[in-house]
Amino acid sequence: MLSRSLLRLATTPMRRGVRGVDFVRNRFTNKGTAFTLEERRHLNIEGMLPPNVETLEDQVERHWEQFRRFNAPINKYQHLRNVMSTNVTLYYAFVIEHLKESLPIIYTPTVGEACTRYGNLYTNDHGLYIDIENIGNIRKLIRNSRKENVEVIVLTDGSRILGLGDLGVNGIGISIGKTSLYVAAGGISPGRVLPVVMDCGTDNLTLRNNPLYLGTRKRRCDDATFYKLLDEFMEAAKEEWPTAVIQFEDFSNNHCFDMMERYQNKYRCFNDDIQGTGAVVSAGLLSALSQIGATSLADQRIVFFGAGSAATGVAESIADVTAAHFKTTKDEMHKVTYFVDSKGLVTTTRGDTLAKHKVPWARADIPAEDYKKLTSLEEVVEYVKPTVLIGLSAAGGAFTKEIVEHMAANCEHPIIFPLSNPSSKAEIQPSDAYKWSNGKAIVASGSPFPAINLNGRILQPSQGNNLYIFPGVGLGCIIAQPTCIPQEVLVAAALRLAQLPSQADKEAGLLYPPIEQVRAVSTEIAVACIRKMQELGVATVELPDNTPELRKIVKKRMWVPVYAAESHYLSLDLLDSPADQSGSKGLLKEANFRI
């Protein structure tokens, strides 16, 4: 027998079509308290909102007050995710207005904690899940997303999230964070970005045993299955969204370079961990060398601590960028570069089998008897006497006081880049790098760190954030529609970024422009990338070949968070006019792409 409530529901005539409330519930069309009184009457949502009508600026201010009251960063993260889930325009207006404060929350370091706890914190989602159980059915999953005109896809398999290791399907948090930054920093329309996780299982036993874990509870699949799934996704994504840029994010060392070889010339794709990080670190290194008056790479000695795919990829990028800047060969970079892994200095004489990506960087000029004394980072630093120390090891605190003091004793301004994320994995606290070098160090970190007052001097570490690179690269590719994204495009981005710090930035010791200027930076990076694509002949859209005109086109193309005009809603046909509801249905369908 039906309950009274179910009986009422069963006998109530169903009113079909689009209702005004649908525009409140759709995160792309919702204006919340900013709906005008006339819009509320027309949409039949009177009584669903407080009577006072606010502006977008009023709403941003309210959420800023709420944001500041949260003490724990993860609570701030959840607050902003809730805003994103209900009102996309408000979310991005807030992030752009308070970018410096928002960035450590929606990206590193807080996003790392959010990923580790993703299943426990889960409430809703805006991403796409591709799993091995659906091999052969990926096109259907893509179409189920009901996303049209996707321009940027951030794809991860969760196998190497930041410095936190294998997080499985929880890695979707990184894709969500990066797509948010494409919008906030690169001006991509929020309905045209798509975070995707490829669930291939996880070797993280803690996750598999967590009852709230949301992914496949199996060990990671073998390489054949991995590439079968990825091949199918790449082909289906190109078919469904032929203009999209695909960014590979946080894939493990054993797949990174092979993926680039497999897809780079066939699809419009790039690897942010290798190429994006490489570009931003290269730009920072050029800025640092400029500050110390270096005119040649040959005078430098560079030690990398960490020899994974990201580290060797960064070294390759530095080789490309410095070769272009100093007009030298890439061999010069190889001559001055040393890698240290868990076994010590990477050489051809130490007797072990090296991973493929390490082989080009293995030193062949170190006698075997010397290598026996080079099994730790400190021993290598004493032996090499580096002028540049770059950390991509995820080994927090690895750059000790002795190492910094040794560098400071052998060069006037040691360049120290602790780049591992999140901040707990940083090889050194920038404040310690300054203290132990008596303020002489030039520092760029992967995560944001505060300034330090040392003997009356305010020393602010730069943040070598990929945010300076990937949004502009993506924006440039969306506009120029290249057949592929050659490495030369990333080199052009790095060279342009190195030119952007102002004289005031340089005098303050900064290697990059302030992060608040990132939308202007993205404009310049996009222009530089387009010019390089035109030069290489890979751009398929006919565009002006001069920088001022391109800059105008790029700026015009960038999305800004503003609410649709009142007339936009008043022109809609709603439920009260059932004869023609195409306008309202169309807006809801196209909300992701038109707002």
Side-chain angles (χ1 to χ4, degrees):
M1 184 174 179
L2 291 174
S3 67
R4 184 173 301 175
S5 59
L6 287 177
L7 181 62
R8 187 187 312 117
L9 179 63
T11 57
T12 300
M14 294 298 293
R15 303 186 71 187
R16 300 169 60 189
V18 177
R19 304 164 301 167
V21 69
D22 293 325
F23 294 92
V24 180
R25 291 173 177 169
N26 186 304
R27 66 194 184 101
F28 289 95
T29 58
N30 183 27
K31 296 167 67 172
T33 54
F35 278 115
T36 67
L37 296 178
E38 185 60 28
E39 286 171 336
R40 298 179 193 198
R41 283 191 289 269
H42 183 73
L43 298 175
N44 294 320
I45 57 173
E46 296 160 295
M48 296 184 61
L49 298 165
N52 188 43
V53 176
E54 296 185 306
T55 65
L56 178 58
E57 292 73 21
D58 293 332
Q59 294 173 320
V60 168
E61 180 60 27
R62 174 177 292 104
H63 281 285
W64 174 237
E65 289 295 323
Q66 295 173 359
F67 180 87
R68 291 193 300 172
R69 286 194 172 96
F70 291 110
N71 292 320
I74 195 64
N75 292 336
K76 294 183 178 184
Y77 175 89
Q78 289 178 285
H79 174 72
L80 291 182
R81 281 296 307 276
N82 288 335
V83 177
M84 178 196 277
S85 298
T86 57
N87 188 330
V88 165
T89 304
L90 173 57
Y91 171 79
Y92 285 109
F94 178 93
V95 169
I96 292 171
E97 177 69 21
H98 300 287
L99 185 63
K100 187 175 182 180
E101 296 83 6
S102 300
L103 189 58
I105 303 302
I106 65 175
Y107 191 42
T108 181
T110 308
V111 73
E113 181 182 356
C115 286
T116 59
R117 300 171 56 189
Y118 193 82
N120 300 69
L121 300 174
Y122 180 86
T123 56
N124 52 57
D125 223 305
H126 311 305
L128 179 63
Y129 295 81
I130 304 293
D131 65 275
I132 54 175
E133 302 301 325
N134 277 287
I135 289 179
N137 200 35
I138 303 306
R139 281 175 177 79
K140 183 177 186 298
L141 301 189
I142 283 176
R143 288 170 186 149
N144 285 348
S145 71
R146 293 174 174 81
K147 298 279 279 188
E148 300 177 24
N149 301 339
V150 170
E151 293 179 330
V152 171
I153 298 167
V154 179
L155 173 68
T156 187
D157 71 341
S159 56
R160 187 182 56 82
I161 298 299
L162 301 175
L164 301 170
D166 184 354
L167 296 185
V169 80
N170 288 8
I172 187 70
I174 279 289
S175 295
I176 292 171
K178 284 291 181 77
T179 52
S180 294
L181 297 179
Y182 266 109
V183 179
I188 313 302
S189 176
R192 297 186 177 187
V193 297
L194 181 64
V196 181
V197 64
M198 196 171 78
D199 185 1
C200 300
T202 177
D203 291 334
N204 187 326
L205 187 60
T206 301
L207 281 181
R208 294 210 307 267
N209 290 336
N210 182 346
L212 297 180
Y213 178 61
L214 294 169
T216 301
R217 296 176 185 275
K218 296 180 180 178
R219 293 185 60 85
R220 285 198 169 269
C221 62
D222 57 28
D223 283 355
T225 306
F226 173 88
Y227 281 112
K228 184 177 180 180
L229 178 61
L230 186 52
D231 285 346
E232 186 180 351
F233 173 79
M234 296 296 289
E235 183 179 345
K238 184 176 182 180
E239 180 182 298
E240 187 74 12
W241 305 301
T243 64
V245 175
I246 300 177
Q247 175 180 309
F248 297 134
E249 183 70 26
D250 286 353
F251 283 83
S252 57
N253 293 338
N254 59 316
H255 289 144
C256 283
F257 287 106
D258 290 341
M259 286 170 61
M260 294 306 298
E261 291 177 11
R262 192 179 187 102
Y263 303 119
Q264 188 170 25
N265 295 324
K266 187 177 180 181
Y267 300 98
R268 193 175 294 122
C269 63
F270 71 100
N271 185 303
D272 187 51
D273 306 297
I274 295 174
Q275 296 171 289
T277 302
V280 77
V281 175
S282 299
L285 182 58
L286 289 186
S287 294
L289 293 177
S290 175
Q291 285 191 21
I292 65 175
T295 58
S296 169
L297 186 66
D299 298 330
Q300 306 306 313
R301 295 174 301 282
I302 304 171
V303 168
F304 278 85
F305 182 52
S309 58
T312 57
V314 167
E316 290 286 352
S317 293
I318 292 176
D320 291 330
V321 171
T322 53
H325 179 77
F326 290 113
K327 309 303 179 186
T328 61
T329 66
K330 290 179 67 172
D331 288 342
E332 287 296 318
M333 177 66 183
H334 283 260
K335 290 178 182 178
V336 301
T337 302
Y338 301 77
F339 272 90
V340 180
D341 62 12
S342 60
K343 297 180 181 178
L345 185 66
V346 178
T347 73
T348 59
T349 57
R350 72 184 193 182
D352 61 334
T353 301
L354 298 176
K356 182 180 176 181
H357 61 271
K358 297 181 185 181
V359 172
W361 296 97
R363 304 289 304 201
D365 57 347
I366 307 297
E369 58 271 19
D370 282 353
Y371 171 71
K372 294 176 183 178
K373 307 171 187 175
L374 302 174
T375 58
S376 71
L377 175 61
E378 187 170 347
E379 291 168 341
V380 172
V381 167
E382 292 178 0
Y383 181 84
V384 174
K385 296 179 173 53
T387 58
V388 180
L389 181 59
I390 298 175
L392 284 160
S393 65
F399 296 173
T400 63
K401 182 179 181 181
E402 290 73 21
I403 287 172
V404 173
E405 289 178 341
H406 193 87
M407 287 188 70
N410 287 284
C411 62
E412 183 63 25
H413 291 287
I415 298 170
I416 301 175
F417 287 6
L419 298 175
S420 292
N421 286 317
S423 50
S424 61
K425 301 292 184 179
E427 286 78 9
I428 190 172
Q429 297 288 306
S431 56
D432 288 334
Y434 290 130
K435 291 174 185 176
W436 297 337
S437 66
N438 293 318
K440 296 193 300 179
I442 298 174
V443 182
S445 56
S447 291
F449 284 93
I452 177 179
N453 187 325
L454 185 65
N455 301 324
R457 290 176 60 205
I458 302 300
L459 300 172
Q460 174 65 62
S462 299
Q463 187 185 359
N465 196 322
N466 291 17
L467 183 62
Y468 287 115
I469 291 291
F470 69 80
V473 172
L475 180 60
C477 290
I478 289 167
I479 294 171
Q481 293 292 296
T483 54
C484 61
I485 307 176
Q487 172 63 10
E488 291 90 336
V489 172
L490 278 298
V491 171
L495 292 172
R496 183 67 183 119
L497 178 57
Q499 296 170 344
L500 293 180
S502 66
Q503 187 58 38
D505 296 334
K506 295 175 183 177
E507 290 173 359
L510 296 177
L511 306 181
Y512 306 98
I515 201 70
E516 296 92 333
Q517 299 175 14
V518 70
R519 282 176 76 93
V521 170
S522 294
T523 300
E524 296 303 312
I525 298 301
V527 171
C529 290
I530 292 170
R531 293 302 306 272
K532 179 56 68 172
M533 293 174 213
Q534 291 173 321
E535 178 187 323
L536 296 173
V538 296
T540 62
V541 175
E542 189 171 338
L543 295 163
D545 60 358
N546 68 85
T547 296
E549 287 300 314
L550 281 177
R551 188 176 288 116
K552 290 178 183 177
I553 291 172
V554 171
K555 287 182 177 180
K556 187 176 180 180
R557 180 62 171 74
M558 295 177 78
W559 178 87
V560 293
V562 293
Y563 285 134
E566 181 179 69
S567 59
H568 198 60
Y569 288 89
L570 299 185
S571 65
L572 299 175
D573 296 312
L574 294 173
L575 188 62
D576 292 338
S577 304
D580 180 9
Q581 298 168 352
S582 58
S584 53
K585 287 181 179 178
L587 176 61
L588 285 172
K589 180 181 178 183
E590 297 296 326
N592 293 10
F593 326 118
R594 292 171 54 188
I595 294 181

